[in-house]
Amino acid sequence: RLESKVAIVTGGGGGLGEGISLCFAREGADVVVSDVEMPGLRGTELALRRYNLFPVATGTYIRGTLDIDEGLERIMAAMQKRW
């Protein structure tokens, strides 16, 4: 249902964020995963590869309004390299 769609999931390195990332992948979306916890982020990235996806994983910490622009710039730069 989500083929040709891109999902951006912040906090995707574990818990609900990881579950949401995997749900999007099962439905056919390409997934961009962001989290501050790199070990968890890498675990989610490996789990997504089971769906033959090669996700974009970025270690981005978005803490509030001042960090949002910088965080989004990092996510968008990673996406541009991938697509």
Side-chain angles (χ1 to χ4, degrees):
R1 288 188 277 172
L2 297 177
E3 290 85 9
S4 302
K5 304 289 183 191
V6 176
I8 301 173
V9 181
T10 58
L16 289 173
E18 180 180 22
I20 289 167
S21 297
L22 295 173
C23 284
F24 282 142
R26 279 193 294 270
E27 294 298 322
D30 285 313
V31 183
V32 177
V33 186
S34 177
D35 203 306
V36 297
E37 300 295 332
M38 291 306 288
L41 186 60
R42 293 297 173 221
T44 300
E45 183 178 21
L46 290 173
L48 288 169
R49 288 178 189 267
R50 284 184 266 174
Y51 297 95
N52 292 319
L53 290 178
F54 296 92
V56 175
T58 62
T60 303
Y61 180 52
I62 299 178
R63 183 184 58 225
T65 342
L66 296 177
D67 293 336
I68 289 174
D69 288 338
E70 180 184 339
L72 289 175
E73 283 177 20
R74 289 181 66 187
I75 291 169
M76 295 304 291
M79 289 175 64
Q80 287 174 346
K81 286 181 187 176
R82 170 72 166 84
W83 290 285

